[in-house]
Amino acid sequence: IAFGSVGPRVFRSREMEKKMIGLSLDQLKGNMEAILGDYGKILSPISDVRSTRDYRRDVSLNILKDMIERGLMP
């Protein structure tokens, strides 16, 4: 899972990925709030003229949530 526009370079947390490897889709959905909360803590986007840090974080987490809900993650 990689996030763009939330820092000076693309962000990826191998630690978070390791936590999710092997979980079924139902388990991912059941742990959705914890997953989003953990990613929300480690994403640290900046604010600039194009967007605020809160907006960038919210959009990133909403995309992740949508991917889990639609079953687009292994």
Side-chain angles (χ1 to χ4, degrees), residues 16-29 31 35 73-74:
M16 283 296 300
E17 290 172 5
K18 286 178 186 177
K19 288 182 181 181
M20 293 186 291
I21 288 175
L23 295 180
S24 69
L25 183 56
D26 287 335
Q27 290 171 315
L28 285 171
K29 288 179 180 180
N31 291 302
I35 293 168
M73 296 181 55

Side-chain angles (χ1 to χ4, degrees), residues 22-67:
L23 295 180
S24 69
L25 183 56
D26 287 335
Q27 290 171 315
L28 285 171
K29 288 179 180 180
N31 291 302
M32 176 103 59
E33 292 305 315
I35 293 168
L36 296 176
D38 288 346
Y39 269 108
K41 290 176 189 171
I42 57 177
L43 289 175
S44 57
I46 62 165
S47 290
D48 62 16
V49 296
R50 293 177 296 247
S51 182
T52 66
R53 68 181 303 224
D54 292 335
Y55 178 79
R56 290 173 196 251
R57 180 183 292 116
D58 290 347
V59 169
S60 296
L61 295 176
N62 284 337
I63 291 170
L64 176 59
K65 181 179 178 182
D66 188 56
M67 288 180 63

